[in-house]
Amino acid sequence: MTLTPVAPLPEHEVRVRAPGKVNLSLRVGAPGADGYHPLHTIFQAVSLYEEIVATPADDLVVTVSGTQAELVPTDETNLAWRAAAVLAEHAGVSGGVHLHLEKGVPVAGGMAGGSADAAAALLACDTLWATGLSRDDLLELAGEIGSDVPFALMGHTAVGSGRGHLLTPALTRGEFHWAFALQDRGLSTPEVYGAFDAAHGHVPSGPGTPPDDEADVPLMQALRAGDPHALGEALHNDLEPAALRLDPALAEPIAVARDAGALGVVLSGSGPTVAALGRNRQHALLVAAAITAAGVADRVVTASAPVAGARVVSTTE
Ligand code: C5P
Protein backbone atom coordinates (compact mmCIF):
# COMPACT_ATOMS: atom_id res chain seq x y z
CA MET A 1 0.00 0.00 0.00
CA THR A 2 1.31 3.44 -0.82
CA LEU A 3 0.54 6.32 1.44
CA THR A 4 -0.67 9.48 -0.20
CA PRO A 5 1.18 12.40 1.36
CA VAL A 6 -1.21 14.84 2.96
CA ALA A 7 -0.47 18.45 2.13
CA PRO A 8 0.16 20.44 5.31
CA LEU A 9 -2.65 22.79 6.20
CA PRO A 10 -1.78 26.28 5.04
CA GLU A 11 -0.96 28.40 8.02
CA HIS A 12 -3.52 30.99 8.99
CA GLU A 13 -1.89 34.26 8.06
CA VAL A 14 -3.13 37.86 8.14
CA ARG A 15 -1.29 40.55 6.19
CA VAL A 16 -1.97 44.20 7.06
CA ARG A 17 -0.41 47.38 5.84
CA ALA A 18 -0.43 50.79 7.51
CA PRO A 19 0.89 54.13 6.26
CA GLY A 20 3.42 56.60 7.60
CA LYS A 21 2.41 60.23 8.08
CA VAL A 22 3.53 63.79 7.73
CA ASN A 23 2.30 66.56 10.04
CA LEU A 24 1.10 69.37 7.77
CA SER A 25 0.89 71.46 10.90
CA LEU A 26 2.14 70.72 14.40
CA ARG A 27 1.31 73.27 17.09
CA VAL A 28 2.53 72.52 20.57
CA GLY A 29 1.40 73.89 23.94
CA ALA A 30 3.10 73.72 27.34
CA PRO A 31 3.19 70.26 28.94
CA GLY A 32 0.71 69.38 31.65
CA ALA A 33 1.10 67.22 34.77
CA ASP A 34 1.47 64.00 32.75
CA GLY A 35 4.48 65.47 30.92
CA TYR A 36 2.74 65.30 27.54
CA HIS A 37 2.34 68.35 25.36
CA PRO A 38 -1.16 69.34 24.27
CA LEU A 39 -1.11 69.42 20.47
CA HIS A 40 -3.10 70.80 17.61
CA THR A 41 -1.87 68.93 14.57
CA ILE A 42 -3.00 68.04 11.07
CA PHE A 43 -1.87 64.59 10.01
CA GLN A 44 -1.74 63.36 6.45
CA ALA A 45 -1.13 59.68 5.65
CA VAL A 46 1.46 59.16 2.88
CA SER A 47 2.07 56.25 0.51
CA LEU A 48 5.00 54.77 2.44
CA TYR A 49 3.87 51.61 4.21
CA GLU A 50 4.71 49.20 6.96
CA GLU A 51 3.47 45.65 6.32
CA ILE A 52 2.86 43.13 9.05
CA VAL A 53 2.24 39.44 8.59
CA ALA A 54 0.65 37.84 11.66
CA THR A 55 0.63 34.05 12.15
CA PRO A 56 -0.38 32.03 15.22
CA ALA A 57 2.48 31.11 17.56
CA ASP A 58 2.93 29.84 21.12
CA ASP A 59 4.52 33.09 22.31
CA LEU A 60 4.65 36.69 21.23
CA VAL A 61 7.48 36.92 18.67
CA VAL A 62 8.52 39.89 16.51
CA THR A 63 10.85 39.69 13.50
CA VAL A 64 11.78 42.55 11.18
CA SER A 65 12.97 42.95 7.59
CA GLY A 66 13.37 45.88 5.20
CA THR A 67 15.29 49.14 5.26
CA GLN A 68 17.01 49.91 8.59
CA ALA A 69 15.53 46.69 10.08
CA GLU A 70 18.62 46.35 12.27
CA LEU A 71 17.59 49.55 14.13
CA VAL A 72 14.24 48.12 15.22
CA PRO A 73 13.97 46.33 18.61
CA THR A 74 12.17 42.98 18.65
CA ASP A 75 11.41 42.88 22.39
CA GLU A 76 8.59 44.39 24.43
CA THR A 77 9.82 47.91 23.60
CA ASN A 78 8.68 47.35 20.00
CA LEU A 79 5.33 49.13 19.47
CA ALA A 80 3.89 46.22 17.46
CA TRP A 81 4.81 43.87 20.31
CA ARG A 82 3.08 46.21 22.76
CA ALA A 83 0.02 46.46 20.53
CA ALA A 84 -0.34 42.67 20.41
CA ALA A 85 0.16 42.41 24.19
CA VAL A 86 -2.37 45.18 24.94
CA LEU A 87 -4.96 43.62 22.62
CA ALA A 88 -4.43 40.10 24.01
CA GLU A 89 -4.89 41.39 27.54
CA HIS A 90 -7.94 43.48 26.63
CA ALA A 91 -9.65 40.71 24.65
CA GLY A 92 -8.61 37.88 27.00
CA VAL A 93 -6.65 36.00 24.32
CA SER A 94 -4.19 33.46 25.69
CA GLY A 95 -2.40 32.32 22.50
CA GLY A 96 0.67 34.01 21.06
CA VAL A 97 1.41 35.46 17.66
CA HIS A 98 4.36 35.83 15.34
CA LEU A 99 4.45 39.32 13.87
CA HIS A 100 6.77 39.84 10.94
CA LEU A 101 7.35 43.53 10.14
CA GLU A 102 8.40 44.67 6.68
CA LYS A 103 9.67 48.22 7.12
CA GLY A 104 8.82 50.79 4.48
CA VAL A 105 8.57 53.93 6.63
CA PRO A 106 11.85 55.50 7.81
CA VAL A 107 12.89 54.42 11.31
CA ALA A 108 12.97 57.22 13.97
CA GLY A 109 12.27 59.77 11.25
CA GLY A 110 9.22 61.63 12.54
CA MET A 111 6.96 59.75 10.12
CA ALA A 112 5.41 57.43 12.71
CA GLY A 113 6.76 54.14 11.33
CA GLY A 114 6.64 52.53 14.78
CA SER A 115 3.09 53.80 15.23
CA ALA A 116 2.14 52.33 11.84
CA ASP A 117 3.57 49.00 13.08
CA ALA A 118 1.40 49.23 16.19
CA ALA A 119 -1.73 50.06 14.16
CA ALA A 120 -1.01 47.23 11.72
CA ALA A 121 -0.35 44.80 14.60
CA LEU A 122 -3.62 45.78 16.30
CA LEU A 123 -5.64 45.17 13.14
CA ALA A 124 -3.76 41.98 12.22
CA CYS A 125 -4.16 40.44 15.69
CA ASP A 126 -7.76 41.60 15.91
CA THR A 127 -8.46 39.79 12.64
CA LEU A 128 -6.44 36.68 13.57
CA TRP A 129 -8.07 36.37 16.99
CA ALA A 130 -11.55 37.47 15.80
CA THR A 131 -11.95 39.53 18.96
CA GLY A 132 -15.12 41.25 17.73
CA LEU A 133 -13.92 44.65 18.99
CA SER A 134 -15.40 47.73 17.32
CA ARG A 135 -13.31 50.25 15.38
CA ASP A 136 -13.80 52.71 18.27
CA ASP A 137 -12.46 50.12 20.75
CA LEU A 138 -9.39 49.66 18.55
CA LEU A 139 -8.89 53.43 18.29
CA GLU A 140 -9.01 53.71 22.06
CA LEU A 141 -6.47 50.91 22.54
CA ALA A 142 -4.32 52.54 19.84
CA GLY A 143 -4.22 55.78 21.85
CA GLU A 144 -2.94 53.86 24.91
CA ILE A 145 -0.06 52.46 22.88
CA GLY A 146 1.20 55.76 21.45
CA SER A 147 0.06 59.25 20.52
CA ASP A 148 0.34 58.68 16.74
CA VAL A 149 -1.11 55.15 16.63
CA PRO A 150 -4.81 56.12 16.25
CA PHE A 151 -3.98 58.17 13.15
CA ALA A 152 -2.15 55.23 11.53
CA LEU A 153 -5.39 53.25 11.95
CA MET A 154 -7.55 56.05 10.57
CA GLY A 155 -5.37 57.37 7.71
CA HIS A 156 -6.36 60.01 5.13
CA THR A 157 -6.11 63.51 6.66
CA ALA A 158 -7.18 64.33 10.20
CA VAL A 159 -6.95 66.99 12.88
CA GLY A 160 -5.35 65.67 16.05
CA SER A 161 -5.78 67.16 19.53
CA GLY A 162 -4.93 66.01 23.05
CA ARG A 163 -1.59 64.20 22.74
CA GLY A 164 -2.36 63.97 19.02
CA HIS A 165 -4.52 60.91 19.64
CA LEU A 166 -7.98 62.52 19.48
CA LEU A 167 -8.89 62.69 15.81
CA THR A 168 -11.39 64.43 13.57
CA PRO A 169 -11.29 63.63 9.83
CA ALA A 170 -10.46 66.64 7.64
CA LEU A 171 -12.05 67.38 4.27
CA THR A 172 -9.52 67.36 1.45
CA ARG A 173 -9.61 67.36 -2.31
CA GLY A 174 -7.13 65.90 -4.77
CA GLU A 175 -3.71 64.40 -4.28
CA PHE A 176 -0.52 65.98 -2.96
CA HIS A 177 3.00 64.95 -3.91
CA TRP A 178 5.88 64.90 -1.47
CA ALA A 179 9.64 64.43 -1.47
CA PHE A 180 11.14 63.29 1.86
CA ALA A 181 14.79 63.87 2.79
CA LEU A 182 15.73 61.08 5.21
CA GLN A 183 18.70 60.92 7.58
CA ASP A 184 20.31 57.80 9.03
CA ARG A 185 20.88 59.66 12.29
CA GLY A 186 17.64 59.70 14.29
CA LEU A 187 16.32 62.47 16.50
CA SER A 188 14.83 61.49 19.85
CA THR A 189 11.23 62.71 20.17
CA PRO A 190 11.52 63.40 23.95
CA GLU A 191 14.77 65.35 23.36
CA VAL A 192 13.15 67.52 20.69
CA TYR A 193 10.20 68.23 22.99
CA GLY A 194 12.75 68.96 25.77
CA ALA A 195 14.60 71.49 23.58
CA PHE A 196 11.25 73.06 22.67
CA ASP A 197 10.37 73.41 26.38
CA ALA A 198 13.78 74.90 27.22
CA ALA A 199 13.35 77.53 24.48
CA HIS A 200 9.87 78.44 25.71
CA GLY A 201 10.66 78.42 29.43
CA HIS A 202 8.20 75.58 30.09
CA VAL A 203 8.57 73.94 33.48
CA PRO A 204 7.92 70.24 34.15
CA SER A 205 4.48 69.46 35.57
CA GLY A 206 3.31 73.01 34.93
CA PRO A 207 -0.37 73.85 34.46
CA GLY A 208 -0.23 73.02 30.72
CA THR A 209 -1.47 75.45 28.11
CA PRO A 210 -3.20 74.53 24.87
CA PRO A 211 -1.63 75.42 21.53
CA ASP A 212 -3.10 77.94 19.13
CA ASP A 213 -5.81 76.04 17.26
CA GLU A 214 -7.09 78.98 15.21
CA ALA A 215 -3.92 79.41 13.18
CA ASP A 216 -4.58 76.50 10.82
CA VAL A 217 -7.67 77.98 9.16
CA PRO A 218 -5.74 78.81 5.91
CA LEU A 219 -4.30 75.29 5.87
CA MET A 220 -7.73 73.70 6.21
CA GLN A 221 -9.01 75.95 3.40
CA ALA A 222 -6.08 74.89 1.20
CA LEU A 223 -6.91 71.22 1.84
CA ARG A 224 -10.58 71.71 1.03
CA ALA A 225 -9.66 73.53 -2.19
CA GLY A 226 -7.00 70.95 -3.11
CA ASP A 227 -4.61 73.87 -3.64
CA PRO A 228 -0.97 72.73 -3.25
CA HIS A 229 0.37 76.32 -3.47
CA ALA A 230 -1.76 77.50 -0.54
CA LEU A 231 -0.97 74.29 1.36
CA GLY A 232 2.76 74.80 0.81
CA GLU A 233 2.54 78.29 2.31
CA ALA A 234 0.55 77.08 5.32
CA LEU A 235 2.83 74.18 6.39
CA HIS A 236 4.00 74.72 9.96
CA ASN A 237 5.87 72.90 12.71
CA ASP A 238 6.47 74.43 16.16
CA LEU A 239 9.15 71.79 16.83
CA GLU A 240 11.27 72.77 13.82
CA PRO A 241 13.47 75.41 15.57
CA ALA A 242 14.17 72.98 18.44
CA ALA A 243 15.08 70.16 16.02
CA LEU A 244 17.33 72.54 14.07
CA ARG A 245 19.12 73.52 17.25
CA LEU A 246 19.78 69.85 18.02
CA ASP A 247 20.74 69.05 14.42
CA PRO A 248 21.79 72.26 12.58
CA ALA A 249 22.66 70.34 9.37
CA LEU A 250 18.91 69.88 8.79
CA ALA A 251 18.92 73.43 7.44
CA GLU A 252 20.66 72.04 4.32
CA PRO A 253 17.91 69.80 2.89
CA ILE A 254 15.39 72.52 3.79
CA ALA A 255 17.35 75.11 1.77
CA VAL A 256 17.96 72.78 -1.18
CA ALA A 257 14.26 71.83 -1.40
CA ARG A 258 13.27 75.52 -1.31
CA ASP A 259 15.79 76.32 -4.07
CA ALA A 260 14.32 73.49 -6.15
CA GLY A 261 10.98 75.29 -6.03
CA ALA A 262 9.18 73.21 -3.41
CA LEU A 263 5.85 74.86 -2.57
CA GLY A 264 6.58 74.39 1.12
CA VAL A 265 9.16 72.62 3.24
CA VAL A 266 8.57 71.44 6.79
CA LEU A 267 10.13 69.16 9.37
CA SER A 268 8.03 66.00 9.70
CA GLY A 269 6.90 65.52 13.31
CA SER A 270 9.94 65.64 15.59
CA GLY A 271 12.26 64.99 12.63
CA PRO A 272 14.83 64.50 11.29
CA THR A 273 12.87 63.81 8.08
CA VAL A 274 12.27 66.96 6.02
CA ALA A 275 9.11 66.98 3.89
CA ALA A 276 8.96 69.06 0.70
CA LEU A 277 5.72 69.60 -1.20
CA GLY A 278 5.93 69.42 -5.00
CA ARG A 279 3.66 71.13 -7.52
CA ASN A 280 2.79 67.68 -8.93
CA ARG A 281 4.28 64.18 -9.11
CA GLN A 282 6.99 65.16 -11.61
CA HIS A 283 7.97 68.18 -9.59
CA ALA A 284 8.22 66.11 -6.38
CA LEU A 285 10.62 63.81 -8.27
CA LEU A 286 12.62 66.84 -9.38
CA VAL A 287 12.86 68.16 -5.80
CA ALA A 288 13.93 64.67 -4.67
CA ALA A 289 16.63 64.60 -7.38
CA ALA A 290 17.92 68.02 -6.30
CA ILE A 291 18.22 66.87 -2.66
CA THR A 292 20.02 63.70 -3.78
CA ALA A 293 22.39 65.64 -6.06
CA ALA A 294 23.26 68.09 -3.27
CA GLY A 295 24.19 65.18 -0.96
CA VAL A 296 22.22 66.64 1.96
CA ALA A 297 20.21 63.52 2.83
CA ASP A 298 21.10 59.86 3.36
CA ARG A 299 18.06 58.78 1.30
CA VAL A 300 15.28 60.53 -0.56
CA VAL A 301 11.85 59.08 -1.29
CA THR A 302 8.72 60.45 -2.90
CA ALA A 303 5.15 59.67 -1.92
CA SER A 304 1.61 60.78 -2.63
CA ALA A 305 -1.05 61.64 -0.09
CA PRO A 306 -3.56 61.25 1.41
CA VAL A 307 -3.91 57.45 1.56
CA ALA A 308 -6.06 55.09 3.62
CA GLY A 309 -5.19 53.94 7.13
CA ALA A 310 -4.37 50.39 8.27
CA ARG A 311 -6.01 47.81 6.00
CA VAL A 312 -6.10 44.00 5.84
CA VAL A 313 -4.36 43.16 2.55
CA SER A 314 -4.93 39.39 2.63
CA THR A 315 -5.86 36.51 4.92
CA THR A 316 -5.40 32.78 4.45
CA GLU A 317 -7.12 30.09 6.47
O1 C5P B 1 3.07 58.90 22.82
P1 C5P B 1 4.45 58.53 22.37
O2 C5P B 1 4.99 57.34 23.11
O3 C5P B 1 4.54 58.39 20.89
O4 C5P B 1 5.39 59.77 22.73
C1 C5P B 1 6.78 59.67 22.75
C2 C5P B 1 7.37 60.80 23.58
O5 C5P B 1 7.15 62.04 22.90
C3 C5P B 1 6.74 60.97 24.93
O6 C5P B 1 7.38 60.19 25.91
C4 C5P B 1 6.93 62.46 25.21
O7 C5P B 1 8.25 62.70 25.66
C5 C5P B 1 6.82 63.06 23.82
N1 C5P B 1 5.48 63.58 23.51
C6 C5P B 1 5.02 64.71 24.16
N2 C5P B 1 3.77 65.21 23.86
C7 C5P B 1 3.01 64.60 22.94
C8 C5P B 1 3.44 63.45 22.26
C9 C5P B 1 4.69 62.95 22.57
O8 C5P B 1 5.72 65.28 24.99
N3 C5P B 1 1.80 65.11 22.66
Side-chain angles (χ1 to χ4, degrees), residues 16-67:
V16 172
R17 73 177 194 177
K21 58 84 184 167
V22 59
N23 299 79
L24 305 176
S25 174
L26 180 54
R27 298 185 187 273
V28 183
D34 63 357
Y36 277 88
H37 295 72
L39 303 182
H40 184 266
T41 186
I42 300 168
F43 293 109
Q44 186 163 71
V46 304
S47 62
L48 300 175
Y49 297 98
E50 300 284 279
E51 276 204 9
I52 279 198
V53 181
T55 44
D58 292 335
D59 296 315
L60 187 40
V61 182
V62 172
T63 53
V64 189
S65 63
T67 320

Side-chain angles (χ1 to χ4, degrees), residues 35-37 39 145-148 162-164 189-190 193:
Y36 277 88
H37 295 72
L39 303 182
I145 297 159
S147 308
D148 291 340
R163 287 179 282 117
T189 301
Y193 275 105

Side-chain angles (χ1 to χ4, degrees), residues 60 78-89 99 117-122 125 129 141 145 149:
L60 187 40
N78 182 295
L79 281 190
W81 200 105
R82 268 176 51 200
V86 166
L87 182 64
E89 159 103 33
L99 296 172
D117 292 337
L122 267 183
C125 293
W129 296 333
L141 286 181
I145 297 159
V149 181

Side-chain angles (χ1 to χ4, degrees), residues 95 103 221 224 272:
K103 305 291 299 174
Q221 279 168 349
R224 278 197 296 276

Side-chain angles (χ1 to χ4, degrees), residues 152-163:
L153 268 183
M154 185 186 246
H156 302 284
T157 307
V159 180
S161 59
R163 287 179 282 117

Side-chain angles (χ1 to χ4, degrees), residues 26 28 189 192-193 196 236-244 267 269-271:
L26 180 54
V28 183
T189 301
V192 174
Y193 275 105
F196 171 84
H236 178 84
N237 187 344
D238 275 345
L239 295 179
E240 193 169 306
L244 277 165
L267 186 81
S270 59

